[in-house]
Amino acid sequence: MLKGEDFGRLFQTFERTAFRLETLAEYDVDAEREEFADFLAGKGLPATCSDNPWVRSMTDRGKQVGRVHVLSSPLTDYLRYEMASYPGNIKAGETIGILDTTHQAVSGLPDHDFWLFDDAKVYRMHYTDAGQFIGAELLPHDRLDEYCRYRDIALAHAVPFEEYTAG
């Protein structure tokens, strides 16, 4: 499984598209702990969240980055925090959809996160029960069509982030 810098290189080497399906209500990310605590304390997000430089590093090179987050209401504190950062990702060029299973039942989706790069490689994301990243597993090529279908189902049922937050 890939993690750390090896996993990070995937975002430098894909050529056209990167799509993520997110399914967890809580992620435990070391680099976010202080920022998350500040958010919970009402301090808001740092200025870098207003135009995400990580996303911009890809979209400025003409690459497409998108995600659908499958969730259910009411939102966890972590999801409220993550959604507070989404406008900066969108400003940087990421397309974000929300699929709230409280409002619609959608079958045919996996119960785990994945990244799909260039419709050519899919990495299943593995996490502990507490949401800590364990690693990304490159799935065999014969699973690619299955994960492209998952992406298509998610995109067909998701609403744009802006529409979700307006409602």
Side-chain angles (χ1 to χ4, degrees):
M1 279 200 264
L2 294 180
K3 55 186 174 179
E5 289 180 14
D6 291 332
F7 179 65
R9 271 192 278 285
L10 296 175
F11 300 93
Q12 298 166 3
T13 59
F14 79 92
E15 295 178 15
R16 298 175 322 283
T17 62
F19 172 83
R20 180 175 186 181
L21 184 75
E22 287 184 302
T23 62
L24 299 182
E26 302 275 342
Y27 293 89
D28 184 1
V29 181
D30 289 340
E32 293 177 346
R33 282 203 183 113
E34 184 177 339
E35 189 176 290
F36 181 47
D38 287 348
F39 175 80
L40 292 177
K43 295 180 183 177
L45 296 174
T48 55
C49 288
S50 66
D51 188 352
N52 188 308
W54 180 72
V55 172
R56 177 108 16 229
S57 74
M58 295 175 277
T59 59
D60 276 354
R61 295 184 303 178
K63 299 179 181 189
Q64 296 177 3
V65 181
R67 80 175 80 197
V68 169
H69 201 137
V70 179
L71 51 79
S72 63
S73 299
L75 300 180
T76 63
D77 286 343
Y78 184 86
L79 286 177
R80 287 187 313 100
Y81 157 74
E82 187 170 60
M83 288 191 162
S85 71
Y86 281 171
N89 289 33
I90 292 166
K91 183 178 180 183
E94 183 175 4
T95 303
I96 299 176
I98 303 295
L99 201 164
D100 190 334
T101 59
T102 307
H103 304 297
Q104 64 176 323
V106 177
S107 60
L109 290 175
D111 63 352
H112 57 269
D113 291 21
F114 67 86
W115 275 99
L116 176 63
F117 296 98
D118 296 323
D119 293 344
K121 290 184 179 179
V122 63
Y123 288 83
R124 179 180 174 165
M125 308 296 285
H126 292 273
Y127 296 90
T128 67
D129 289 341
Q132 292 175 321
F133 181 58
I134 297 170
E137 170 190 11
L138 176 61
L139 297 181
H141 192 267
D142 64 358
R143 307 269 322 262
L144 189 58
D145 288 343
E146 170 189 358
Y147 280 82
C148 286
R149 279 192 306 278
Y150 293 152
R151 179 210 46 217
D152 295 345
I153 291 168
L155 289 171
H157 290 89
V159 298
F161 173 75
E162 301 87 346
E163 183 179 325
Y164 178 78
T165 57

